[in-house]
Amino acid sequence: MSWKTAGMYRLPTGALLDPEGLPVWSYAERCWIESTPEPIEGQQGLNALSIRACQAMGTVAFRRYCTHHGLSHPELKAFVKHGFAMADTQDIVGWEQDQPLLVRVGFGHDLPEPLREVVGRQNLSTFLYLLGQVTWIGYTDLYGAVTSAPWRHLRAALSVLDGEGIPRPPIEPFLESPSSEVHGWGEPVNAAVKLSWMALDS
């Protein structure tokens, strides 16, 4: 039985919390991401997106979350800029090395206190969970064989929006970069495509 058929994919609202403040649904999503060896069915065609497109779509999701909660800080903008930068880079190694602060936080480092104050205690656990999922979309298979993990991380990021009642980004603009290219990574997109992605809800 999949998480979806078990009723675990459609998330409850953020009011369902454990004693640590982390939404209960995140444990189901994390188990789903870590324990599923093969891609989930192509829900909304997400499997058709390249990893570059997945990273961009996840970045839009992150920005939607921040906008919804009124979060604004230069480091949030730097993380969004970095997420979109994968779209057209010819130098993936350089992109990986040019990490803003929040990428390291997405890997598990502590969020600095000034940013904790910006995010707020009520949103902190969900914010960190979303940040981690969006970070790992582009980094999880960076130096190894492509697995199904980037697409599962994207689904987990989008499910955070579901749980918060925030509309998902439309998939159509991201289909410009298909997973059939470059073993799933996709070719670097042209400037017009990248700008169309960046313009979503900006």
Side-chain angles (χ1 to χ4, degrees):
M1 179 182 294
S2 69
W3 286 114
K4 186 176 180 183
T5 57
M8 296 297 289
Y9 187 78
R10 185 64 186 178
L11 305 179
T13 66
L16 185 61
L17 302 176
D18 79 341
E20 296 292 326
L22 189 64
V24 170
W25 55 256
S26 68
Y27 293 115
E29 288 294 337
R30 185 172 302 155
C31 181
W32 177 48
I33 289 166
E34 293 176 354
S35 66
T36 307
E38 299 298 333
I40 307 300
E41 70 279 4
Q43 181 181 356
Q44 296 190 11
L46 295 180
N47 285 345
L49 304 182
S50 71
I51 294 175
R52 292 177 191 265
C54 288
Q55 182 67 73
M57 191 176 190
T59 300
V60 174
F62 176 82
R63 188 169 62 187
R64 284 192 174 196
Y65 177 90
C66 292
T67 300
H68 179 79
H69 289 285
L71 309 182
S72 179
H73 190 277
E75 289 295 346
L76 300 177
K77 294 178 180 178
F79 181 77
V80 168
K81 181 180 179 181
H82 180 70
F84 285 129
M86 176 187 260
D88 62 348
T89 185
Q90 300 279 353
D91 181 12
I92 288 291
V93 173
W95 175 83
E96 184 270 337
Q97 293 175 346
D98 186 25
Q99 296 178 6
L101 169 66
L102 285 181
V103 167
R104 295 188 288 277
V105 176
F107 291 152
H109 290 251
D110 289 338
L111 186 69
E113 188 59 35
L115 275 169
R116 284 178 174 263
E117 295 177 2
V118 169
V119 174
R121 185 177 181 277
Q122 180 179 0
N123 299 321
L124 183 60
S125 295
T126 302
F127 172 85
L128 291 174
Y129 179 77
L130 174 60
L131 176 67
Q133 299 308 317
V134 175
T135 298
W136 282 108
I137 291 170
Y139 280 87
T140 187
D141 290 338
L142 199 57
Y143 292 112
V146 172
T147 68
S148 58
W151 292 269
R152 296 201 304 274
H153 284 297
L154 174 60
R155 289 188 178 89
L158 295 177
S159 69
V160 172
L161 299 192
D162 295 343
E164 296 277 335
I166 304 169
R168 294 184 176 201
I171 189 173
E172 289 77 15
F174 301 100
L175 293 171
E176 292 287 339
S177 180
S179 59
S180 58
E181 297 177 344
V182 196
H183 308 291
W185 283 95
E187 298 284 357
V189 302
N190 62 45
V193 170
K194 180 181 178 180
L195 286 173
S196 74
W197 294 350
M198 295 176 66
L200 291 169
D201 305 311
S202 62

